[in-house]
Amino acid sequence: MHAAEQERPDVAAARAAWKEAQPGLDPARLVFIDETGTSTAMARLRGRARRGHRVVGRVPWGHWKTMTFLAALRHDAITAPFVIDRAMTGAIFREYLRQCLVPTLAPGDIVVMDNLPAHKNAAVRQIIEAAGAELRYLPPYSPDLNRSCPRWWCRSAGSLQGLQRV
């Protein structure tokens, strides 16, 4: 299922332009940034048990925690991994760029990220461009164009949800 907004003329045009430009990009220069998060509030609501047995699970009561994992995916490696025990904010993201991502960038790299509000401010562009790299945002409503998700982000998010088995 895709977002209905992908059919808006402005979004459709941005998606078409992105797809048209892709063949001209050097895969060795692409650096996809993405994050995934989990929360202790992601408790399973249903479960399976043998006939006659009750499913019992445990979740923290009133002590919810959120954890965010952020990394860069290149064509041949995962780089600049970062885990923080809270939700992503603009200030945390800028520090991630300075301390984790920038040391891994080379002049000419193309950093690609989604439109999360924490990613969209002038300081983000300045930090990346000061390292000699280029910043490109994915078109809005286009997670399917982020090459990092289909492989391991989605699997890791699914694995986190399935950690507790009865």
Side-chain angles (χ1 to χ4, degrees):
M1 187 161 310
H2 294 280
E5 289 85 355
Q6 289 182 358
E7 296 177 6
R8 278 189 355 216
D10 59 326
V11 174
R15 288 174 55 81
W18 178 266
K19 290 177 183 179
E20 187 177 309
Q22 278 183 322
L25 300 175
D26 179 1
R29 290 289 182 201
L30 292 174
V31 182
F32 287 92
I33 305 295
D34 206 359
E35 65 258 352
T36 188
T38 187
S39 168
T40 54
M42 293 172 53
R44 289 180 174 268
L45 301 177
R46 294 167 183 78
R48 294 182 183 192
R50 291 189 178 139
R51 186 176 300 266
H53 290 83
R54 182 179 289 249
V55 174
V56 178
R58 305 277 188 249
V59 295
W61 183 256
H63 301 287
W64 306 117
K65 293 195 67 95
T66 298
M67 183 174 290
T68 302
F69 175 66
L70 174 68
L73 182 67
R74 293 179 175 267
H75 79 290
D76 61 349
I78 295 170
T79 61
F82 180 73
V83 177
I84 188 153
D85 207 13
R86 60 183 55 201
M88 182 58 62
T89 66
I92 294 169
F93 186 68
R94 288 188 299 275
E95 284 309 306
Y96 162 77
L97 293 175
R98 288 185 189 104
Q99 296 180 29
C100 300
L101 182 65
V102 166
T104 71
L105 294 176
D109 280 347
I110 302 168
V111 178
V112 180
M113 61 183 76
D114 60 22
N115 292 283
L116 184 72
H119 299 169
K120 304 252 342 199
N121 64 61
V124 168
R125 182 170 299 280
Q126 290 170 348
I127 293 165
I128 290 171
E129 290 178 352
E134 177 185 345
L135 173 60
R136 292 191 186 191
Y137 289 103
L138 289 168
Y141 305 104
S142 299
D144 55 312
L145 299 179
N146 186 340
R147 292 296 155 210
S148 67
C149 189
R151 293 195 175 81
W152 74 282
W153 287 121
C154 296
R155 279 188 294 200
S156 66
S159 296
L160 289 171
Q161 290 176 343
L163 282 178
Q164 181 162 350
R165 303 267 189 231
V166 177

